[in-house]
Amino acid sequence: MTVEVVTPERVLFSGEASMVIARGVQGDLGILPNHMPMVTPLKIAPVRIKTEGDKELVMAVSGGFMEVRGDKVTILAETAERPEDIDPSRAKAAKERAEQRLNEKHPDLDLRRAERALQRAITRLQVTNK
């Protein structure tokens, strides 16, 4: 099947794959060729694309949507990063900052924004550890 991962800035991946594994808002999804058509929002989580020869491409995806239609899977991501594009020390620092903000419980804290920042940092670290 053909898979495309697109962000507002660029096409991050376009090619053939045997499976796509992503986290939708209702849980993990494994998409194989000829999957039933669907559109689902995505959570902030790694997306795994299994390509020829059992190779696997992993990316940190920060929300967006996945559309499955016939033998084509399109991921329209708010942001997506490959492991080589992620600075692990920067991601670790971002995780620590987000945890600190959440632990301080400041009255002006935008809780949702802080939680999303923490999840993005955790996802980046997961992807770089693969």
Side-chain angles (χ1 to χ4, degrees):
M1 67 185 162
T2 303
V3 178
E4 285 190 347
V5 179
V6 182
T7 68
E9 292 82 33
R10 64 185 173 148
V11 175
L12 196 68
F13 175 82
S14 181
E16 295 298 310
S18 59
M19 185 175 193
V20 176
I21 301 165
R23 182 161 299 148
V25 293
Q26 300 211 346
D28 289 344
L29 300 160
I31 308 298
L32 295 168
N34 298 313
H35 192 281
M36 68 178 222
M38 65 178 277
V39 175
T40 185
L42 295 175
K43 285 191 153 195
I44 299 170
V47 168
R48 297 174 20 218
I49 300 170
K50 295 190 181 232
T51 60
E52 57 189 80
D54 274 347
K55 293 180 184 173
E56 186 173 271
L57 174 64
V58 181
M59 315 178 193
V61 171
S62 296
F65 291 88
M66 178 170 63
E67 177 187 33
V68 180
R69 189 181 314 191
D71 269 351
K72 184 166 185 184
V73 176
T74 305
I75 294 176
L76 302 170
E78 292 174 23
T79 65
E81 299 168 284
R82 293 182 178 194
E84 60 268 20
D85 297 334
I86 298 170
D87 179 351
S89 59
R90 196 169 157 217
K92 186 175 182 198
K95 178 181 178 274
E96 290 167 358
R97 278 192 313 273
E99 288 173 336
Q100 183 179 4
R101 278 191 207 112
L102 288 167
N103 288 333
E104 288 174 354
K105 298 188 185 345
H106 193 275
D108 294 332
L109 175 69
D110 182 344
L111 186 61
R112 187 164 188 268
R113 183 173 176 214
E115 288 171 343
R116 286 179 55 85
L118 177 59
Q119 190 57 48
R120 278 192 303 273
I122 290 169
T123 298
R124 286 182 179 126
L125 289 170
Q126 287 173 338
V127 166
T128 59
N129 288 336
K130 293 273 179 195

